[in-house]
Amino acid sequence: MNKILGLHHITAIAGDAQRNYDFYTKTLGFRMVKRTVNFDDPQTYHFYFGDEVGSPGTILTFFPWANVRQGKNGAGMATEIGYSVPKGSLDFWKARLKKFNTRHEILSERFGEKYIALQDPDGLWLSLIEAKQKDERNGYETAEIKADVAIKGFHTVTLTLNDVKATAAILTEVFGYKQIAQEGNLDRYQTDAVENAAIVDLLEMPQAQRGLNAGGTNHHVAFRVKDEETLMAFREKIAARGLQITGKINRDYFFSLYFREPGGVLFEIATDNPGFATDETIENLGSSLQLPDQYKAMRDKIEKGLPELQTK
Ligand code: ZN
């Protein structure tokens, strides 16, 4: 399909690597599907958390920087990452967030869907949503989080913007999304190319200050395409609108393009191929540090420079 297939991954900035690992694998119960380094800064980890096989549309990634300054949500960034959870599971999650002292808000409702908003240990806003739409994806199971409550993958991402118009035009005219609902200053857009991870919410706040991109904030939002041919077709369409866009970049697990959409959010488009099972088997995903070819000869030095990670 020559279309944008919803969300591929979302990337954010964290502080302490161990705290980040513990929260996402233990409190929320994701699988770490890849442990590598920031390809542009190999002294920093790049963690990928998702479902069992690292399906696109489930992947939240982090660059953990130990002494990062605190960021601030604001205009021109993704300010909330929404996950889909099974119907009837929010009581379980409410109790679990309380038990782990995770900052969270009371149960609310938006677009007819119940959800709980919460913050990760660095202050990143997430939400757990009982989706109206059918979601047959299976969440990753852990000893404490079984399939009937496990987080399934992305539901939506919320972008805060001073003016939604130009961003909405990218979604509808280039990415094939349609506006399906509106609540106050929140507009909901959805693609019918996929069943899940198909929604983007645009929150218009004309007076909001620009966000500060540091700890506890989003870095970029990656949309999904099937292959490199589709990727490059989108490159043409975006460049034709007069927007700056990078060339194709090899991220080892996918091929990518980056551009800043007119509202200020850094967008990426990423391919399904080759996926995460290229340098380790599905069974072993995330179990050891993987390095791209250019850093393989420096493994000892890189490992010594990275904080130790307790994964048991
Ligand atoms: Zn990315």
Side-chain angles (χ1 to χ4, degrees):
M1 266 194 303
N2 189 20
K3 282 184 166 177
I4 292 288
L5 304 173
L7 297 168
H8 184 284
H9 67 271
I10 297 176
T11 294
I13 299 170
D16 185 72
Q18 185 72 53
R19 188 174 68 172
N20 178 257
Y21 176 87
D22 288 345
F23 181 76
Y24 285 95
T25 61
K26 293 172 185 158
T27 307
L28 297 187
F30 293 111
R31 183 176 192 192
M32 177 182 259
V33 293
K34 195 62 65 183
R35 188 191 322 173
T36 182
V37 292
N38 182 334
F39 290 5
D40 304 317
D41 168 20
Q43 292 307 321
T44 302
Y45 277 124
H46 193 181
F47 292 162
Y48 291 74
F49 302 105
D51 70 358
E52 181 163 15
V53 299
S55 306
T58 73
I59 304 292
L60 182 59
T61 96
F62 287 93
F63 302 124
W65 278 299
N67 297 307
V68 72
R69 66 174 170 159
Q70 188 61 44
K72 202 165 172 277
N73 265 353
M77 59 166 57
T79 50
E80 189 184 316
I81 297 161
Y83 281 104
S84 169
V85 295
K87 289 224 162 59
S89 68
L90 285 178
D91 284 343
F92 166 88
W93 284 107
K94 204 162 63 180
R96 187 166 180 84
L97 296 173
K98 208 170 163 192
K99 179 177 158 194
F100 284 83
N101 291 316
T102 301
R103 280 163 291 178
H104 63 282
E105 295 187 342
I106 55 163
L107 191 86
S108 314
E109 200 168 312
R110 197 168 46 196
F111 297 116
E113 299 175 317
K114 290 198 182 75
Y115 74 100
I116 298 174
L118 62 125
Q119 281 183 293
D120 86 355
D122 290 294
L124 185 71
W125 280 102
L126 311 172
S127 56
L128 302 179
I129 307 166
E130 286 186 9
K132 267 196 292 202
Q133 197 150 337
K134 186 173 69 174
D135 190 341
E136 292 179 328
R137 295 175 295 176
N138 293 315
Y140 185 58
E141 282 196 59
T142 69
E144 295 178 10
I145 302 170
K146 297 301 175 194
D148 60 332
V149 293
I151 300 172
K152 292 170 174 290
F154 293 135
H155 173 284
T156 180
V157 64
T158 304
L159 314 181
T160 296
L161 302 157
N162 289 137
D163 182 334
V164 298
K165 264 194 266 8
T167 306
I170 297 291
L171 291 178
T172 56
E173 292 166 21
V174 185
F175 284 4
Y177 283 63
K178 290 191 184 83
Q179 185 170 1
I180 58 158
Q182 180 179 29
E183 258 188 36
N185 59 345
L186 190 62
D187 294 338
R188 173 156 284 194
Y189 289 82
Q190 184 171 13
T191 176
D192 59 11
V194 281
E195 279 198 335
N196 307 112
I199 294 173
V200 178
D201 289 334
L202 303 184
L203 181 67
E204 186 165 75
M205 298 184 75
Q207 308 302 330
Q209 294 203 336
R210 303 298 287 182
L212 173 66
N213 192 213
T217 63
N218 169 257
H219 187 265
H220 63 267
V221 175
F223 291 86
R224 174 184 171 206
V225 290
K226 182 170 164 277
D227 55 23
E228 293 161 69
E229 196 187 328
T230 316
L231 184 76
M232 296 316 277
F234 274 101
R235 187 177 190 283
E236 294 298 309
K237 289 185 202 177
I238 291 153
R241 296 176 76 95
L243 294 169
Q244 295 276 348
I245 182 161
T246 66
K248 181 170 77 174
I249 298 173
N250 181 356
R251 291 299 185 199
D252 271 25
Y253 311 109
F254 41 84
F255 294 90
S256 288
L257 298 168
Y258 299 84
F259 72 103
R260 203 166 285 283
E261 58 82 27
V265 184
L266 185 59
F267 276 3
E268 175 181 350
I269 305 175
T271 60
D272 276 1
N273 64 298
F276 293 105
T278 49
D279 48 10
E280 51 194 345
T281 60
I282 294 280
E283 196 180 32
N284 290 322
L285 286 181
S287 59
S288 59
L289 182 72
Q290 300 300 322
L291 295 174
D293 285 342
Q294 65 266 35
Y295 298 134
K296 282 200 167 101
M298 299 160 64
R299 177 173 274 274
D300 282 355
K301 186 168 177 275
I302 287 173
E303 281 184 342
K304 281 196 192 88
L306 290 168
E308 224 177 295
L309 194 67
Q310 236 14 279
T311 58
K312 288 287 172 263

